[in-house]
C-alpha cells in the first residue's frame, strides 16, 4: 500500500478485543514500507505487552516498524500520539532527541542490533513507563549506554535488557521510579558486576559523599537465562533490598546469596536450576514468603528439609518428579497459602500429610499426579482451602465424603479425569462453590440435581468423549456454561427458563438436540454465545427446527461450523453487535454463504468476522442491512471477488476493513480497490498490499493483487475518448442554439449558460465580499456575543483571529432599511454564524434572519457558508419548522458551547478552525 499519513484512531470500542480470539500475529493496521500501526490491545498475547495492557487498560495506538535503517526517516512517518512503539532493524547510534516528537509514548521496545545510546536520546519521553532493549535470540550483542542516558525517564517503571551485553557500559543512572529490572540472556558472570553497571541499584557500591541518588525499593530483579552467571562476588549486592529475585535457568547456587550482602528479599524464583533439595538455609536467612522451584529435581522432601521454611506463604514444586512428602509437611509450613504440586508422582491414592486443622492454605494444585481416588476426608485438615485443582488425574468416582471439610472452597477443577458417575449430594459439603470444571470426563448424563449443595454456583464446565445429556433442573445462579461432546449434546430440561440468568454459553459438538417432549428452552439473559462445530439447525430458517429461537439480549455470537449453511438465518437477535462466522473444516469445500440473507435481521451489527466461508463475491447488496457496521474482517477466503457496485457504498463503508490470508479473483472489475484502500477518507484498510489473486480455479501463481490491477487494468482510454468527443459535440450544439435569435426561450437559456460559466470559472466569487463573518443573534444573547465571541474572533492574533466581523447593531448605518441592509450584508459575507438559544428561536427577528440566511444558501449555493452555534442544549424537535437546517445538522456544520468554562479553550480553537476553513474556501 502506498505511504499515507492516515492512522488508526484509538477509541472506546471494546468489541475490537474479539480479534484476540483469532490468534492473529499483528492485529489489523495500516502499513507504511516498514511500519505497522495497530491497536496494542490486539497484541496482549505477547509477553512484553502484558504489563502495559494490564496496568494501562483500554485501547492504545501501537506502531511496529521492521527493517529500520534510517531512524529519523522512519520516525517522521509515524503519528505523534503513539503510546507504544517497537523498532526492529539495525541502528548503530541512537542520537539525542530521537523521540522528542512522541511525548505520549508509554512503551518503547528496541531491537536494533549493536547499538550506542547517547546522552539525551530519550529526552522528551516524560510519560515513558516501559523500556525494552531486546533481541529475538540470545546473541549477546554489544549495547553501550551513556551514564545519564536514562536520566530523563522520570516515570520509568520497567527496564529490560535481553540478549545484550553491557560490558562496555558503566555507572548507568537508574530512575528512582524504577520497579522492574530485567537482564536475560546477557553476558553477566557474577552479581558483583551490577555494582559497576548500576551503582544506584546497589547502595553499598556508591562512594561516600556521592550525590548520585539511590534507587528506591526495587520490586523485581530478573536475571534469568544467564547461562554464565555462576558467582555472586564479595558482597556483590551489599545493601540492596528486593521484593523478588528471579534466577531461573542459571547455574548460580542460591546458597551464595547469604554472603551477597542482600539486605531484604521476599520472593525467590529458581525454576530449572537443577535443584535437588529445598534450599532451607536461604529460605530461613531471608524469611522468604514465596519460593518457586518449578521444573527441578526435588523427588523427595524430608522433615529436616522444612526447617526454617515456616515463613513461606507460596511454594511452587511443579514438575519435580516428587513422590514423597513428610507427614508433618503442612505442620512445618503454618503460613503457607498457595501450594503447587502439579505434574509430580504423588498418586495413585491421595494421602495428604497431617497438619494443623487451622491451616492457612488457600490454593492447592494436585493436577497430573496420577491420582486414582480421593478417600473420604482427604482434605479435612485444610478447611480454609478456596481453590482445589485436580485436573489430569485418573480419578474415576467421587464419594459423598471425598470433599468433606471444604466449606470455603470456591473453585474445583476435576477436568480430564475418568469420572463416569457422580452421586447425588457429592457437592453437599461445598456451600461456597462458585466454579466447577468437569471437562474431559466420561459423564454421559448430567442432571442439574447433581449440583445441589452450592448456593452461588455461577460457572460450570462440562465435557464428555461420548454424547452428553443435560437434564432436570439447573441452579438459578448459573451465569456461564461451557459444554462439549464428540457427538451430540441433548437438552432435556423441563422448565422453560432454567437458564434465566445465564449470560455466557459455549457449546462444542456436532449436534445440539432438544427433546421434542420438553418445553422450549429459553435463554432470556444470554449475551455471549460460542458454538464450535455445531450443526446449523440451531439457527435454521424453519422455526420448528431452531434450538435458539429468541435471544433478545445477545451481543456476541461466535459460530464455527463445518456443516452446510444454506438454510441458516440469524433472527430473534435484535441486539447482536459482534458476529464471528467461520468454517472449522478447512479441508472440505464449504458451501456458499448469502450475506444479504444472513445479515438481514441484524440492524445493530458493528463487528463482522468471516473465515473460510466461500463468500464468492462481495457486492452492494451484501451490506444493504448493516448500516452500523464498523469493522469487517475477512479471513482465509478463496477466490473472492469485489463487485464494482461496492463503490456506491464507499461513503458508508465500515470504518475498519481487514483482509487476512485472502486470495482474490484477478479481474479488472476490482480496479477501484487499490485507490480506495490508499485514499478512502473514512475507512481504515489493511491486508491488500499482501494479498494475491488468481485468474481461474487452476491458477496457482502468486500474483500480487495490487500489481495485477496497476499493470493489467489501465484507465479505459476508449471510454474517455467517447466521453470527450460526446461532450465537445454537445457544447457545439449548445453554442449553435444560443446564437440563434429566432427562438424566445434561447434568451433565458443563454442567461443560465453565462451564469454557469461564471460559476465554473470562479469569477463570481472574486472581490464581492466585504466581511469574513456575519453574526446573527438574539438581543437577549447580545451580552455574551459582545463580551466573549467578538473578541475571540475579531482581535488580531494571538488573542483573537483577526476576522472582519459584521454585527447589525454596530455596522448598520442609521436610517437604512434594516431588511435590505441585512440581505446585502449576508450576501457580502463569506460565512454566516448563527448564535442559537431557546430565546433566539422564540424571537421573530432572529427567525427572519435565520430563514433569510438559509434561503440565500439554497438559492445561491456556493456563495457563502452557514455555521450554527448552540449556546445551550436544544431539543432538535424545536428545529422542525426550520426544514432547511436539517442538511447543516447532518453535515455537522454546527457547534455546541460547552457548559463548563474550563472547556472553552478547546471550543474556541474548534470554532476558529471551522471559520478559517470556510473563509479560505470562499477566497479560493
Amino acid at each position: 500500500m502506498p505511504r499515507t499519513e492516515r492512522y488508526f484512531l484509538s477509541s472506546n470500542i471494546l468489541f475490537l478485543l474479539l480479534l484476540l480470539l483469532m490468534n492473529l500475529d499483528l492485529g489489523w493496521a495500516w502499513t507504511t514500507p516498514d511500519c505497522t500501526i495497530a491497536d496494542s490491545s490486539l497484541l496482549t498475547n505477547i509477553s512484553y505487552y502484558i504489563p502495559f495492557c494490564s496496568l494501562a487498560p483500554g485501547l492504545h495506538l501501537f506502531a511496529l516498524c521492521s527493517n529500520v535503517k534510517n531512524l529519523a526517516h522512519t520516525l517522521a512517518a509515524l503519528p505523534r500520539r503513539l503510546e507504544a512503539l517497537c523498532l526492529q532493524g539495525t541502528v548503530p547510534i541512537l542520537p539525542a532527541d530521537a523521540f522528542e516528537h512522541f511525548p505520549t509514548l508509554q512503551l518503547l521496545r528496541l531491537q536494533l542490533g549493536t547499538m550506542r545510546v547517547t546522552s539525551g536520546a530519550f529526552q522528551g519521553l516524560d510519560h515513558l513507563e516501559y523500556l525494552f532493549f531486546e533481541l529475538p535470540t540470545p546473541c549477546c550483542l554489544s549495547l553501550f549506554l551513556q551514564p545519564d542516558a536514562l536520566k530523563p525517564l522520570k516515570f520509568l517503571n520497567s527496564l529490560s535488557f535481553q540478549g545484550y551485553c553491557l560490558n562496555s557500559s558503566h555507572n548507568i543512572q537508574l530512575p528512582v521510579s524504577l520497579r522492574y529490572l530485567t537482564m536475560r540472556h546477557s553476558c553477566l558472570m557474577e552479581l558483583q558486576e551490577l555494582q559497576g553497571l548500576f551503582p544506584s541499584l546497589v547502595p553499598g557500591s556508591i562512594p561516600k559523599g556521592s550525590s548520585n541518588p539511590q534507587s528506591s525499593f526495587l520490586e523485581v530483579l530478573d536475571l534469568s537465562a544467564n547461562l554464565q552467571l555462576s558467582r555472586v562476588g564479595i558482597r556483590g549486592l551489599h545493601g540492596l533490598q528486593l521484593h523478588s529475585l528471579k534466577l531461573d535457568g542459571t547455574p548460580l547456587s542460591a546458597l551464595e546469596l547469604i554472603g551477597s550482602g542482600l539486605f531484604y528479599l521476599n520472593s525467590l524464583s529458581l525454576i530449572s536450576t537443577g535443584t535437588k533439595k529445598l534450599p532451607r538455609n536461604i529460605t530461613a536467612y531471608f524469611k522468604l514468603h514465596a519460593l518457586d522451584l518449578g521444573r527441578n529435581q526435588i523427588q523427595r522432601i524430608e522433615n529436616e528439609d522444612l526447617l526454617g521454611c515456616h515463613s513461606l506463604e507460596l511454594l511452587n514444586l511443579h514438575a519435580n518428579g516428587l513422590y514423597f512428602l513428610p507427614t508433618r509437611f503442612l505442620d512445618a509450613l503454618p503460613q503457607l497459602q498457595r501450594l503447587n504440586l502439579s505434574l509430580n508422582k504423588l498418586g495413585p491414592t491421595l494421602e495428604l500429610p497431617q497438619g494443623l486443622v487451622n491451616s492457612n492454605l488457600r490454593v492447592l494444585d494436585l493436577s497430573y499426579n496420577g491420582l486414582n481416588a480421593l478417600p473420604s476426608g482427604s482434605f479435612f485438615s485444610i478447611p480454609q482451602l478456596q481453590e482445589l485443582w485436580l485436573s489430569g488425574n485418573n480419578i474415576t468416582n467421587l464419594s459423598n465424603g471425598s470433599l468433606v471439610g471444604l466449606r470455603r472452597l470456591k473453585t474445583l477443577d476435576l477436568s480430564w479425569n475418568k469420572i463416569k458417575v457422580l452421586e447425588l449430594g457429592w457437592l453437599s459439603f461445598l456451600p461456597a462453590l462458585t466454579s466447577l470444571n468437569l471437562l474431559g470426563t466420561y459423564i454421559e448424563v448430567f442432571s442439574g440435581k447433581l449440583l445441589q449443595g452450592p448456593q452461588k454456583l455461577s460457572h460450570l464446565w462440562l465435557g464428555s468423549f461420548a454424547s452428553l445429556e443435560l437434564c432436570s433442573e439447573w441452579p438459578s445462579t448459573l451465569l456461564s456454561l461451557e459444554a462439549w461432546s464428540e457427538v451430540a449434546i441433548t437438552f432435556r430440561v423441563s422448565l422453560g427458563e432454567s437458564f434465566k440468568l445465564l449470560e455466557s454459553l459455549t457449546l462444542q459438538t456436532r449436534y445440539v438436540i432438544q427433546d421434542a417432549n420438553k418445553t422450549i428452552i429459553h435463554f432470556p439473559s444470554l449475551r455471549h454465545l460460542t458454538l464450535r462445530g455445531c450443526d446449523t439447525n440451531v439457527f435454521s430458517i424453519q422455526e420448528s427446527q431452531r434450538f435458539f429461537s429468541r435471544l433478545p439480549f445477545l451481543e456476541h455470537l461466535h459460530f464455527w461450523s463445518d456443516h452446510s449453511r444454506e438454510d441458516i438465518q440469524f433472527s430473534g437477535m435484535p441486539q447482536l453487535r459482534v458476529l464471528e462466522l467461520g468454517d472449522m473444516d478447512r479441508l472440505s469445500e464449504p458451501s456458499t454463504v448469502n450475506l444479504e440473507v444472513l445479515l438481514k435481521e441484524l440492524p445493530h451489527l458493528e463487528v463482522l468476522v468471516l473465515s473460510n466461508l466461500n463468500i464468492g463475491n462481495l457486492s452492494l447488496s451484501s451490506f444493504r442491512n448493516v448500516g452500523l457496521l464498523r469493522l469487517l474482517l475477512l479471513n482465509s477466503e478463496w477466490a473472492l471477488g469485489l463487485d464494482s457496485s461496492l463503490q456506491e457504498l464507499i461513503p458508508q463503508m465500515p470504518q475498519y476493513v481487514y483482509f487476512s490470508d485472502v486470495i482474490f479473483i484477478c479481474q479488472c472489475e476490482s480496479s477501484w480497490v487499490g485507490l480506495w484502500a490508499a485514499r478512502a477518507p473514512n475507512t481504515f484498510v489493511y491486508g491488500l498490499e499482501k494479498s494475491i489473486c488468481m485468474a481461474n480455479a487452476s491458477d496457482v501463481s502468486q500474483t500480487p493483487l495490487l500489481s495485477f490491477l496497476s499493470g493489467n487494468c489501465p484507465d479505459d482510454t476508449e471510454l474517455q475518448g467517447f466521453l470527450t468527443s460526446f461532450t465537445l459535440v454537445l457544447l457545439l450544439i449548445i453554442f449553435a442554439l444560443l446564437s440563434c435569435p429566432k427562438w424566445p426561450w434561447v434568451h433565458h437559456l443563454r442567461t443560465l449558460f453565462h451564469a454557469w460559466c461564471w460559476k465554473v470559472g470562479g469569477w463570481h466569487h472574486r472581490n464581492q465580499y466585504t466581511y469574513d463573518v456575519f453574526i446573527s443573534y438574539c438581543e437577549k444573547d447580545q451580552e455574551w456575543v459582545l463580551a466573549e465571541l467578538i473578541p475571540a474572533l475579531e482581535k488580531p492574533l494571538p488573542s483573537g483571529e483577526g476576522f472582519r466581523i459584521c454585527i447589525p447593531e454596530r455596522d448598520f448605518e442609521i436610517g437604512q432599511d434594516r431588511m435590505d441592509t441585512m440581505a446585502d450584508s449576508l450576501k457580502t459575507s463569506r460565512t454566516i454564524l448563527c448564535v442559537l438559544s431557546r430565546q433566539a428561536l422564540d424571537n421573530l427577528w432572529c427567525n427572519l434572519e435565520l430563514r433569510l440566511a438559509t434561503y440565500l444558501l439554497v438559492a445561491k449555493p456556493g456563495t457563502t457558508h452557514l455555521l450554527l452555534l448552540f449556546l445551550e442544549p436544544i431539543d432538535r424537535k424545536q428545529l422542525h419548522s426550520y426544514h432547511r437546517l436539517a442538511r447543516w445538522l447532518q453535515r455537522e456544520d454546527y457547534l455546541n458551547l460547552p457548559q463548563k468554562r474550563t472547556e472553552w479553550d478547546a471550543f474556541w480553537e474548534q470554532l476558529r478552525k471551522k471559520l478559517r476553513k470556510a473563509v479560505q474556501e470562499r477566497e479560493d
Side-chain angles (χ1 to χ4, degrees):
M1 178 180 290
R3 181 181 297 273
T4 172
E5 291 302 321
R6 294 183 296 114
Y7 54 88
F8 168 61
L9 296 179
S10 175
S11 60
N12 188 22
I13 311 172
L14 298 181
F15 57 76
L16 296 182
L17 298 179
L18 125 85
L19 295 182
L20 287 174
L21 304 176
M22 303 297 295
N23 294 320
L24 299 177
D25 292 333
L26 289 178
W28 51 276
W30 66 270
T31 304
T32 69
D34 53 10
C35 294
T36 298
I37 314 297
D39 190 300
S40 63
S41 66
L42 305 179
L43 302 166
T44 52
N45 58 322
I46 301 178
S47 60
Y48 50 85
Y49 292 108
I50 291 177
F52 177 64
C53 295
S54 60
L55 294 178
L59 304 182
H60 309 276
L61 194 63
F62 165 81
L64 169 64
C65 300
S66 57
N67 301 320
V68 177
K69 295 182 180 179
N70 188 326
L71 183 62
H73 175 74
T74 300
L75 296 180
L78 297 176
R80 296 295 180 257
R81 57 186 192 85
L82 282 175
E83 294 180 74
L85 174 61
C86 176
L87 300 175
Q88 301 174 351
T90 53
V91 176
I93 298 179
L94 206 61
D97 300 322
F99 306 98
E100 62 177 345
H101 298 299
F102 303 93
T104 60
L105 205 62
Q106 298 180 45
L107 182 148
L108 177 60
R109 180 173 184 260
L110 302 175
Q111 282 185 289
L112 300 177
T114 301
M115 183 170 50
R116 181 184 182 90
V117 181
T118 61
S119 299
F122 302 114
Q123 194 69 39
L125 296 180
D126 297 332
H127 294 88
L128 194 70
E129 298 182 30
Y130 307 90
L131 177 60
F132 303 89
F133 297 92
E134 297 186 354
L135 295 176
T137 56
C139 47
C140 283
L141 295 183
S142 178
L143 174 65
F144 176 77
L145 273 77
Q146 291 284 359
D148 58 347
L150 304 178
K151 187 176 181 181
L153 307 179
K154 300 178 181 179
F155 295 97
L156 191 66
N157 183 276
S158 299
L159 176 62
S160 174
F161 302 95
Q162 180 165 318
Y164 277 108
C165 191
L166 298 176
N167 287 346
S168 301
S169 302
H170 298 284
N171 300 324
I172 301 173
Q173 300 177 24
L174 296 177
V176 295
S177 60
L178 194 66
R179 293 294 178 267
Y180 302 88
L181 176 61
T182 300
M183 293 186 63
R184 300 171 61 94
H185 295 291
S186 69
C187 303
L188 203 62
M189 302 180 66
E190 62 178 44
L191 295 181
Q192 195 169 15
E193 296 177 23
L194 296 176
Q195 295 184 0
L197 289 173
F198 313 108
S200 60
L201 175 66
V202 185
S205 63
I206 301 178
K208 292 183 178 181
S210 174
S211 60
N212 192 11
Q214 297 187 4
S215 174
S216 59
F217 190 94
L218 192 67
E219 293 186 18
V220 178
L221 176 60
D222 187 353
L223 302 175
S224 303
N226 285 285
L227 302 183
Q228 302 180 52
L229 182 58
S230 58
R231 300 183 302 274
V232 172
I234 301 176
R235 302 182 68 81
L237 301 177
H238 180 59
L240 178 62
Q241 51 183 358
L242 292 174
H243 180 274
S244 177
L245 176 61
K246 297 183 178 182
L247 298 172
D248 305 338
T250 64
L252 180 67
S253 173
L255 193 61
E256 292 191 34
L257 293 175
I258 296 178
S260 66
L262 187 61
F263 181 73
Y264 175 83
L265 184 63
N266 182 278
S267 173
L268 178 62
S269 181
L270 299 171
I271 299 175
S272 299
T273 56
T275 303
K276 296 182 179 181
K277 283 185 173 295
L278 283 178
R280 63 179 186 181
N281 292 334
I282 190 71
T283 304
Y285 181 81
F286 290 107
K287 298 180 180 179
L288 293 178
H289 290 178
L291 180 60
D292 194 339
L293 297 168
R295 296 197 296 274
N296 277 294
Q297 304 174 24
I298 306 175
Q299 299 182 2
R300 184 182 178 93
I301 297 178
E302 303 291 349
N303 286 323
E304 56 270 18
D305 296 334
L306 300 172
L307 297 177
C309 297
H310 59 275
S311 61
L312 284 178
E313 298 178 1
L314 183 151
L315 178 59
N316 183 10
L317 294 170
H318 166 78
N320 271 271
L322 189 66
Y323 65 87
F324 176 79
L325 293 175
T327 57
R328 307 300 296 174
F329 181 76
L330 294 179
D331 193 11
L333 303 172
Q335 304 300 323
L336 194 63
Q337 297 182 22
R338 305 177 67 92
L339 175 60
N340 188 348
L341 297 173
S342 61
L343 213 63
N344 283 291
K345 302 177 181 179
L346 297 177
T349 301
L350 178 63
E351 295 182 3
L352 284 182
Q354 298 178 5
L356 298 177
V357 174
N358 61 348
S359 169
N360 289 310
L361 196 62
R362 300 291 192 274
V363 180
L364 176 60
D365 192 345
L366 292 169
S367 303
Y368 298 94
N369 267 283
L371 300 176
N372 293 332
L374 298 178
S376 179
S378 298
F379 305 99
F380 187 78
S381 61
I382 45 178
Q384 306 297 323
L385 199 66
Q386 297 180 7
E387 298 180 22
L388 178 58
W389 304 84
L390 296 168
S391 177
N393 286 294
N394 300 317
I395 301 173
T396 56
N397 59 77
L398 293 171
S399 63
N400 287 341
S402 299
L403 303 174
V404 66
L406 298 177
R407 299 191 61 81
R408 298 179 183 271
L409 193 70
K410 295 182 179 180
T411 300
L412 176 60
D413 186 354
L414 290 166
S415 60
W416 306 104
N417 279 284
K418 298 179 179 180
I419 302 173
K420 295 182 179 180
V421 179
L422 294 171
E423 300 178 6
L424 289 175
W426 74 288
L427 294 178
S428 59
F429 299 101
L430 309 178
L433 192 68
T434 59
S435 300
L436 175 61
N437 192 340
L438 291 170
L439 287 175
T441 62
Y442 293 84
I443 302 174
E444 297 184 9
V445 179
F446 194 93
S447 170
K449 296 180 180 180
L450 294 174
L451 302 177
Q452 294 179 357
Q455 301 173 4
K456 297 181 180 180
L457 186 64
S458 55
H459 306 284
L460 177 63
W461 292 263
L462 297 174
S464 174
F465 291 100
S467 296
L468 179 62
E469 181 178 318
L470 307 179
C471 56
S472 189
E473 302 178 9
W474 290 79
S476 60
T477 57
L478 205 59
L479 298 179
S480 69
L481 170 63
E482 179 174 342
W484 66 264
S485 171
E486 291 287 342
V487 182
I489 298 177
T490 304
F491 285 81
R492 301 186 186 277
V493 181
S494 57
L495 296 180
E497 292 191 356
S498 294
F499 301 101
K500 61 182 179 180
L501 296 181
L502 195 69
E503 296 180 354
S504 177
L505 175 63
T506 300
L507 300 177
Q508 180 171 330
T509 188
R510 290 185 62 84
Y511 301 101
V512 179
I513 304 173
Q514 180 175 308
D515 190 355
N517 298 324
K518 301 294 182 181
T519 307
I520 295 178
I521 304 174
H522 296 295
F523 301 92
S525 302
L526 199 63
R527 284 173 168 77
H528 295 259
L529 176 59
T530 301
L531 303 173
R532 303 190 188 101
C534 298
D535 187 275
T536 53
N537 281 340
V538 294
F539 296 116
S540 174
I541 295 178
Q542 301 180 15
E543 187 70 25
S544 59
Q545 297 182 7
R546 292 170 63 93
F547 180 80
F548 297 101
S549 57
R550 286 189 308 106
L551 299 172
F553 296 104
L554 190 69
E555 297 180 357
H556 297 249
L557 173 59
H558 313 281
F559 186 22
W560 286 72
S561 175
D562 52 5
H563 299 266
S564 172
R565 279 167 216 85
E566 296 178 356
D567 62 343
I568 189 173
Q569 184 181 45
F570 297 122
S571 60
M573 308 176 190
Q575 301 300 322
L576 192 67
R577 297 190 303 114
V578 177
L579 173 61
E580 178 188 2
L581 187 61
D583 189 343
M584 296 184 66
D585 188 1
R586 294 172 178 263
L587 299 180
S588 64
E589 183 176 354
S591 58
T592 303
V593 172
N594 189 331
L595 285 182
E596 184 177 2
V597 176
L598 195 68
L599 308 177
K600 183 178 181 181
E601 299 186 34
L602 304 178
H604 293 93
L605 195 65
E606 297 177 354
V607 176
L608 179 61
V609 180
L610 304 174
S611 298
N612 196 37
L613 293 181
N614 191 24
I615 297 174
N617 193 55
L618 286 180
S619 63
L620 177 63
S621 61
S622 303
F623 305 100
R624 190 181 305 276
N625 304 304
V626 285
L628 298 180
L629 193 65
R630 302 189 64 184
L631 184 149
L632 173 63
L633 189 153
L634 298 174
N635 180 49
S636 299
E637 286 297 327
W638 179 269
L640 179 66
L642 299 176
D643 195 272
S644 58
S645 64
L646 282 173
Q647 298 180 78
E648 302 179 26
L649 191 66
I650 286 179
Q652 293 83 34
M653 273 282 192
Q655 189 174 0
Y656 311 108
V657 179
Y658 182 88
F659 298 96
S660 173
D661 192 23
V662 174
I663 299 178
F664 294 86
I665 299 176
C666 294
Q667 57 182 8
C668 289
E669 189 177 4
S670 304
S671 59
W672 58 275
V673 171
L675 186 63
W676 163 69
R679 301 182 181 178
N682 302 318
T683 303
F684 176 92
V685 186
Y686 176 70
L688 286 179
E689 74 283 356
K690 300 178 182 178
S691 299
I692 60 176
C693 67
M694 60 180 189
N696 50 61
S698 59
D699 183 14
V700 294
S701 61
Q702 301 291 313
T703 304
L705 173 66
L706 298 182
S707 298
F708 170 82
L709 296 178
S710 61
N712 298 279
C713 304
D715 295 335
D716 196 339
T717 55
E718 294 182 1
L719 178 60
Q720 289 186 353
F722 167 76
L723 294 176
T724 302
S725 60
F726 175 80
T727 303
L728 290 175
V729 172
L730 182 62
L731 289 176
L732 289 175
I733 295 174
I734 293 175
F735 278 121
L737 292 175
L738 293 178
S739 61
C740 182
K742 295 182 179 181
W743 299 325
W745 56 269
V746 171
H747 174 72
H748 301 285
L749 185 61
R750 185 187 296 115
T751 302
L752 292 176
F753 180 74
H754 280 295
W756 176 79
C757 291
W758 277 79
K759 182 176 181 180
V760 171
W763 301 317
H764 70 300
H765 289 303
R766 303 298 181 183
N767 301 322
Q768 72 172 24
Y769 295 112
T770 305
Y771 303 102
D772 293 321
V773 184
F774 179 88
I775 300 179
S776 172
Y777 59 91
C778 174
E779 182 179 359
K780 295 182 179 180
D781 298 324
Q782 180 176 348
E783 181 179 354
W784 182 86
V785 171
L786 297 179
E788 302 290 346
L789 182 61
I790 297 300
L793 301 180
E794 197 171 44
K795 288 184 178 181
L797 296 172
S799 58
E801 191 64 29
F803 288 130
R804 290 174 295 172
I805 306 294
C806 177
I807 55 177
E809 284 72 12
R810 183 188 64 184
D811 299 309
F812 287 7
E813 295 183 5
I814 301 175
Q816 288 183 328
D817 182 86
R818 185 178 178 88
M819 179 62 69
D820 293 339
T821 305
M822 182 179 67
D824 293 339
S825 299
L826 288 174
K827 294 178 182 179
T828 57
S829 297
R830 292 183 172 88
T831 303
I832 302 172
L833 177 61
C834 289
V835 180
L836 299 180
S837 62
R838 294 189 183 93
Q839 51 195 8
L841 295 177
D842 296 334
N843 185 280
L844 295 178
W845 187 256
C846 291
N847 288 345
L848 182 60
E849 288 188 2
L850 185 58
R851 293 180 186 278
L852 185 59
T854 55
Y855 171 77
L856 179 65
L857 293 174
V858 174
K860 296 184 177 182
T863 59
T864 189
H865 182 86
L866 175 63
L867 181 63
L868 307 180
L869 172 57
F870 292 95
L871 294 183
E872 57 186 339
I874 297 178
D875 189 353
R876 296 301 187 260
K877 295 180 180 179
Q878 297 185 30
L879 301 177
H880 283 176
S881 58
Y882 304 93
H883 59 280
R884 300 190 191 100
L885 289 181
R887 67 176 62 182
W888 283 273
L889 294 178
Q890 292 174 359
R891 289 168 49 186
E892 297 186 357
D893 282 354
Y894 66 92
L895 290 172
N896 294 310
L897 178 68
Q899 301 304 306
K900 297 181 180 179
R901 195 177 184 92
T902 56
E903 302 176 0
W904 278 18
D905 290 342
F907 164 77
W908 291 128
E909 180 60 31
Q910 187 179 7
L911 175 61
R912 291 167 180 168
K913 182 178 179 181
K914 283 183 174 289
L915 290 176
R916 284 197 301 268
K917 180 180 178 181
V919 169
Q920 185 62 40
E921 288 177 353
R922 303 287 82 75
E923 183 67 26
D924 295 339

